[in-house]
Amino acid sequence: MSATGTPVVLGVDLGTTSTKVVAFDAAGRERAAAGAGYALREPAPGHVELDAAEVLAAAVRAARDAAARARAAGCTVAALSFSSAMHSLVGVDGDGRLLTQVITWADTRATEEAEELRPTEHGRALHRATGTPVHPMSPLVKLVHLRRHQPALFAAARRWVQVKDLLVHRWTGTWVTDRSTASATGLLELATGDWSGDALRTAGLSPLQLPPVAAATAVVGTLTAAAARELDLPARTPVVAGGADGPLANLGVGAVVPGTAALSIGTSGALRVAARTPRVDAAGRTFCYSLTDDLWVVGGATTNGGVVLRWLAEELLPDVSEQAAELGDLPEEALLEMAARVPAGAEGLLVLPHLLSERAPQWSALTSGAVVGLQRRHGRAHVVRAALEGVCQQLALVADSVEAAGPAIDEVRATGGFARSAVWRQLLADVLGRPLSFAAGGQEGSSFGAALVGHHALGHLDLLEASRREVRIGEVVEPRAADAAVHARLRPVFASLADALAPAFRALRQVPAAPG
């Protein structure tokens, strides 16, 4: 391995269905990239997990490949830094052996506990103090559920960690978490940056059962000899804590000043605005998570993003997907082309695209999907169009809630897998009724944010200044006025559906699911 060359930091982004590793130099240039995927597992209704061994193996493959490509491009890996999907939970015993798989943000087994706690004054106080809504996604609520339903497992756990903590431990031998990721657990006090006594009592935990909390920019260890061998990197390569993928996406697209929002659609979606002080809106519609020790992000996450398009391709329109594959095209692109042929508003058809329940701004896990307004004139293309409009309308509701919390939104910078599609970019701009800015070079926001954190930790740059300076806008998509007016007129109708259909959703949850 070469000891010289342009120093790069590997931004290791542990996502919901894949790990992406991108090597960035201190000037913000992407020098190499690699990725590896894994599948979400649903072993029982409401249980949405990842196989921890698969995730760790994918991270090794992706990091090793990205490092090799970086060396081939004349670079030297100076450090590794992390981004991770939020709200995961893993139990381990005293020897670090797994007692659970990775329970993901999409898991809704704790719905009953969330619905009991959320409307109470205690639940509202926990939301205000920790910035994390009381919802089944929250590790706090997951822990309450596990203590109630699996007391033997709960008692056997020496430590409760997140998926990124597992990987850092595997590569450095140290149990540690970062303040950004910890702030999305429902267990961290925003005001102090340390574990909350009230939240710990609610979960039934001792603070010793959680990892120590470090700043996102802290060097938390170096690669062990074993990790160095499997990654083909020098032993003692620095490892930087990094942070949660949502806040780091703000950093990665330069949305680190109040008024500039970062919007992303991957498997799920989110919109976030930077704030100088932590805050949660009075109605409890937004979250507040840490980015750095003196910067927070206020926003909301939606559960259903790209997963809706995949569901359409795999379950509703497999014939279209197969035809596209035979022609060498992506199934998702074929569906997007279908949607583009239908006018805005899908001729009066609305789809509530809550395949995996939903989060912001209602934060109720009881909601399900629905097709409303169906008439004889509607065909499959209308359903596709309305489902994608529903994904975008949910994000528009989040934008409205964020502005109600205080930070006005002057600019929206977008990132995520959806950004590769011109159809979806235009649709989102039309539904939001706002221009969307996209970074030049198609930078992956979270992995770039993680790499910036790594370079800051090594003293190569000032974090926030580099984020503002090095993100270059390559394209701005303007909303089409006539289509934006249609979507604005439909938004109150769309917003009313979840509450209006709540009794039906509750009743339908009592219908037994088919075994297997």
Side-chain angles (χ1 to χ4, degrees):
M1 292 179 287
S2 171
T4 60
T6 303
V8 294
V9 170
L10 297 185
V12 181
D13 182 19
L14 294 164
T16 303
T17 56
S18 67
T19 290
K20 306 178 190 74
V21 181
V22 187
F24 288 100
D25 63 24
R29 295 184 296 254
E30 179 181 317
R31 306 301 291 266
Y38 31 82
L40 279 171
R41 300 172 183 268
E42 298 184 52
H47 294 220
V48 185
E49 301 176 345
L50 290 170
D51 184 297
E54 284 186 11
V55 176
L56 295 177
V60 169
R61 291 197 306 276
R64 184 179 61 235
D65 291 349
R69 292 170 187 174
R71 287 194 298 274
C75 302
T76 299
V77 175
L80 300 94
S81 183
F82 296 91
S83 165
S84 177
M86 293 183 279
H87 313 299
S88 64
L89 184 69
V90 186
V92 298
D93 67 13
D95 296 317
R97 289 188 294 261
L98 296 173
L99 297 177
T100 71
Q101 293 296 351
V102 180
I103 305 173
T104 71
W105 57 266
D107 193 284
T108 58
R109 74 186 72 175
T111 294
E112 180 181 348
E113 289 75 16
E115 291 300 308
E116 288 176 3
L117 182 58
R118 182 166 55 88
T120 67
E121 179 51 38
H122 184 210
R124 290 189 288 269
L126 285 168
H127 185 177
R128 289 192 299 269
T130 68
T132 303
V134 176
H135 184 274
M137 70 174 186
S138 164
L140 165 61
V141 183
K142 292 180 172 77
L143 287 163
V144 173
H145 172 88
L146 290 171
R147 184 172 59 157
R148 175 185 290 182
H149 293 281
Q150 294 181 264
L153 167 67
F154 187 86
R158 169 74 176 275
R159 185 174 281 110
W160 293 97
V161 300
Q162 298 195 69
V163 63
K164 182 172 75 66
D165 308 335
L166 279 181
L167 187 59
V168 170
H169 181 260
R170 172 169 174 170
W171 286 355
T172 68
T174 301
W175 286 115
V176 64
T177 195
D178 69 273
R179 192 162 288 114
S180 174
T181 307
S183 70
T185 62
L187 297 162
L188 194 85
E189 189 87 30
L190 280 175
T192 64
D194 208 346
W195 300 120
S196 160
D198 187 21
L200 289 174
R201 286 188 292 274
T202 302
L205 293 185
S206 155
L208 297 178
Q209 290 178 274
L210 298 172
V213 180
T217 53
V219 176
V220 293
T222 58
L223 291 181
T224 65
R229 284 193 298 272
E230 69 178 359
L231 297 174
D232 196 20
L233 285 171
R236 304 194 67 75
T237 298
V239 173
V240 179
D245 59 356
L248 285 180
N250 277 63
L251 191 64
V253 298
V256 292
V257 293
T260 301
L263 182 150
S264 59
I265 301 180
T267 303
S268 57
L271 183 142
R272 303 161 303 272
V273 178
R276 297 295 179 188
T277 56
R279 64 183 77 174
V280 175
D281 74 309
R285 293 172 296 178
T286 57
F287 58 58
C288 182
Y289 302 140
S290 171
L291 173 55
T292 65
D293 286 350
D294 54 4
L295 194 67
W296 290 262
V297 295
V298 175
T302 64
T303 299
N304 301 279
V307 68
V308 174
L309 188 57
R310 285 197 296 277
W311 176 81
L312 290 166
E314 294 170 1
E315 303 296 338
L316 195 64
L317 295 159
D319 56 321
V320 175
S321 300
E322 289 169 6
Q323 291 169 9
E326 289 171 1
L327 296 172
D329 298 327
L330 293 173
E332 291 83 356
E333 286 298 326
L335 267 62
L336 286 161
E337 289 174 9
M338 288 176 64
R341 295 194 291 268
V342 175
E347 296 189 87
L349 187 68
L350 289 177
V351 170
L352 200 63
H354 299 172
L355 302 180
L356 296 171
S357 181
E358 195 43 276
R359 292 183 283 176
Q362 298 93 348
W363 299 107
S364 172
L366 294 176
T367 184
S368 299
V371 179
V372 179
L374 189 64
Q375 297 186 29
R376 177 66 181 82
R377 68 175 179 271
H378 294 130
R380 297 195 298 177
H382 291 84
V383 176
V384 174
R385 171 84 186 199
L388 298 181
E389 288 183 352
V391 171
C392 299
Q393 287 282 20
Q394 196 71 32
L395 284 164
L397 295 179
V398 171
D400 293 344
S401 299
V402 169
E403 289 201 304
I409 299 174
D410 303 316
E411 180 186 1
V412 179
R413 296 186 177 185
T415 185
F418 90 101
R420 292 188 290 270
S421 166
V423 172
W424 206 339
R425 290 199 301 269
Q426 185 65 60
L427 178 59
L428 184 59
D430 293 343
V431 174
L432 290 176
R434 305 168 186 267
L436 290 185
S437 302
F438 295 86
Q443 289 164 326
E444 288 285 349
S446 298
S447 55
F448 182 43
L452 286 177
V453 167
H455 280 294
H456 176 90
L458 298 177
H460 296 167
L461 49 78
D462 176 84
L463 186 61
L464 299 184
E465 176 59 31
S467 172
R468 290 190 292 265
R469 183 184 67 243
E470 294 176 5
V471 175
R472 298 172 294 281
I473 300 303
E475 180 185 6
V476 177
V477 178
E478 296 285 344
R480 296 172 294 200
D483 287 1
V486 171
H487 296 306
R489 191 163 62 249
L490 288 173
R491 188 165 304 128
V493 183
F494 179 86
S496 72
L497 290 180
D499 287 340
L501 294 171
F505 292 148
R506 288 179 184 273
L508 291 172
R509 280 182 172 267
Q510 306 309 312
V511 178

